[in-house]
Amino acid sequence: MRSPWKIATVLVAALLTAAGCGSSGAGTDDGTVSLSLWTGFSGPDRPAYEALVKQFNDSHPKIKVTMDVQPWDAIGQKLPGAWATGQGPDLATPNFDPGVLFTYAKTNSLLPLDEAVGDGDGKLNTSLFPKAANTAFTIDGKLYAAPANMATLVLYYNKAMLSADGVAVPTTADEFAAAAKKLTKVDGGKVTQYGISLADHSTIQMWPILQWMNGGDIVDAKGCATIAQAPSVQALQNWADLVAKDKVSPVGQTGADADTLFSAKKAAMEINGPWAAAGFKTAGIDLGIAAIPVGAGGPVTLASTVPLAIGKSTKHKAQALEFLAWWTGKTAQAAFSDASGFPPVRTDVTSSNPVVAPFAAGLPHARLYLPGLSTSAKIDTDVYVPLIGKITRGEPVEPAAKAAAEAINKITGCKP
């Protein structure tokens, strides 16, 4: 699991030295063009991305893409200064949070992709991308990235634990809360088994799903806070009480902590994405995968998509655009989905991997977290994450949500 964070400000000279930055792209004596790609795909899904790059190189003898896998925070430190000064890689996944594109757009670091959009071969068929991806990657009417992947979150559960307690897989919000409570075991005041493993920081967000399930949200389409409205407050109160009073999940977990707890068979359920499935199976969990339970807000889950962008200063624009078109094409996406367990980024591609089905099924009703807001990272780090940390430690929800709403409106400039 992963988390949005702020892009660090660093000295350009230090960046260029640390990153080994030079001119984007290179040619060879035989006419082969070399493209550099920075990504943060260092988890269990890394081999699937590497296989995709190899497949491209094998089928495009005059273009060679070299994928440099780095920690996400390292990319976040190096890439802004490198691209802003015309250095760095030809292509990159700047962050797993699409909101980061606003940062790069402000420094005029991204190559607009609109000229490559179309329906034919060698084009970006954006009409076949899930709506959430196009929304996430469009700023002021211009497309600045293609989806490196597309995913939704599901409910992972330990079949053996649910069976032992006679708990059916929850399908409604009420069943979900009841299951989390029943599956929590306390012995002598110490929790020996948690009903669910929830993270509250350094994670891909899951708490918004709990609000959406109840018909609530964090902001509206104009960026005005809705987090203090009744549906959100009710959902936050319910789940904060489950954590603070009923101990259904540890408090203060990072995404990595939450994964470790579930992998260690100390929690019965977890909300997570397709990247986690292989690791959970390797841990020996009798793994079940189900859709997020449905509440008053209707079926919903969180959409996750990583932007794959081109640096504006690349010297090989045509080849970089060709790579993006191929990456999002039918052949590549079928192969990637089969290997990774992620849904394809195209709606006209199906996968033979049985793990994909529950994630793909969530795409029609998947929602982005704080979409279309240039201030999304600040709202997350300065307001939303601290709010969840406070209420899960027992702070009254209603006044905390009201204070969060005021802080959000101040950040976005909304005057309700």
Side-chain angles (χ1 to χ4, degrees):
M1 301 175 81
R2 303 161 291 184
S3 156
W5 39 265
K6 297 178 181 178
I7 299 294
T9 302
V10 289
L11 292 174
V12 170
L15 287 171
L16 301 185
T17 300
C21 297
S23 59
S24 297
T28 61
D29 293 339
D30 65 356
T32 300
V33 170
S34 295
L35 299 177
S36 54
L37 166 64
W38 288 4
T39 82
F41 298 127
S42 59
D45 50 350
R46 173 176 176 170
Y49 296 100
E50 292 175 330
L52 207 59
V53 170
K54 183 178 186 302
Q55 187 177 350
F56 175 84
N57 289 337
D58 289 345
S59 59
H60 294 75
K62 290 299 181 180
I63 306 175
K64 181 181 179 181
V65 177
T66 299
M67 187 169 82
D68 182 0
V69 181
Q70 307 176 38
W72 287 110
D73 58 353
I75 292 176
Q77 291 173 3
K78 300 174 186 177
L79 189 61
W83 266 1
T85 56
Q87 306 292 316
D90 300 278
L91 305 108
T93 55
N95 195 298
F96 50 84
D97 173 19
V100 78
L101 291 178
F102 284 94
T103 300
Y104 291 92
K106 285 180 180 178
T107 58
N108 199 29
S109 299
L110 302 172
L111 180 73
L113 307 181
D114 299 271
E115 68 179 76
V117 173
D119 297 330
D121 292 339
K123 294 289 186 178
L124 292 172
N125 293 295
T126 55
S127 63
L128 296 172
F129 296 165
K131 182 180 178 181
N134 289 325
T135 299
F137 303 147
T138 300
I139 300 174
D140 295 332
K142 292 183 178 181
L143 183 71
Y144 283 107
N149 60 30
M150 193 77 209
T152 60
L153 302 191
V154 297
L155 180 65
Y156 285 100
Y157 61 95
N158 187 312
K159 292 180 181 179
M161 287 183 178
L162 268 67
S163 177
D165 282 321
V167 176
V169 179
T171 60
T172 69
D174 289 342
E175 291 173 354
F176 189 25
K181 192 171 181 179
K182 186 173 181 179
L183 290 163
T184 300
K185 307 293 183 184
V186 181
D187 184 8
K190 182 179 180 181
V191 179
T192 58
Q193 176 181 299
Y194 292 95
I196 187 168
S197 187
L198 291 171
D200 57 27
H201 70 286
S202 299
T203 182
I204 190 166
Q205 282 293 354
M206 60 188 69
W207 277 83
I209 298 175
L210 304 176
Q211 293 178 243
W212 296 338
M213 287 168 59
N214 198 48
D217 207 343
I218 302 167
V219 297
D220 62 18
K222 296 180 180 179
C224 294
T226 59
I227 196 166
Q229 294 178 0
S232 282
V233 171
Q234 290 167 359
L236 291 172
Q237 186 71 66
N238 184 34
W239 281 93
D241 285 346
L242 285 168
V243 173
K245 297 178 181 179
D246 297 308
K247 312 298 182 186
V248 302
S249 173
V251 175
Q253 289 195 120
T254 65
D257 294 335
D259 293 349
T260 298
L261 192 75
F262 186 74
S263 295
K265 304 177 185 178
K266 293 182 180 179
M269 299 183 292
E270 187 187 10
I271 297 173
N272 212 325
W275 51 83
F280 291 159
K281 290 180 178 178
T282 300
I285 295 172
D286 187 5
L287 190 65
I289 300 176
I292 299 294
V294 179
V300 68
T301 187
L302 186 139
S304 170
T305 183
V306 173
L308 178 56
I310 300 174
K312 190 170 184 179
S313 61
T314 180
K315 296 180 179 179
H316 300 289
K317 172 182 169 182
Q319 290 83 359
L321 288 171
E322 184 176 354
F323 176 72
L324 284 194
W326 181 89
W327 182 284
T328 58
K330 293 181 71 172
T331 299
Q333 281 305 301
F336 176 70
S337 186
D338 289 347
S340 67
F342 280 72
V345 304
R346 296 169 60 106
T347 57
D348 63 340
V349 175
T350 57
S351 175
S352 63
N353 188 333
V355 173
V356 172
F359 298 99
L363 285 173
H365 50 262
R367 297 170 60 175
L368 292 166
Y369 172 56
L370 300 172
L373 292 177
S374 60
T375 54
S376 61
K378 186 171 180 62
I379 293 171
D380 177 76
T381 57
D382 292 2
V383 183
Y384 194 74
V385 169
L387 169 68
I388 303 305
K390 291 174 183 176
I391 64 175
T392 53
R393 289 171 172 84
E395 186 167 319
V397 172
E398 190 169 359
K402 183 179 179 181
E406 293 171 354
I408 289 171
N409 288 337
K410 185 175 182 180
I411 291 171
T412 63
C414 176
K415 297 179 180 180

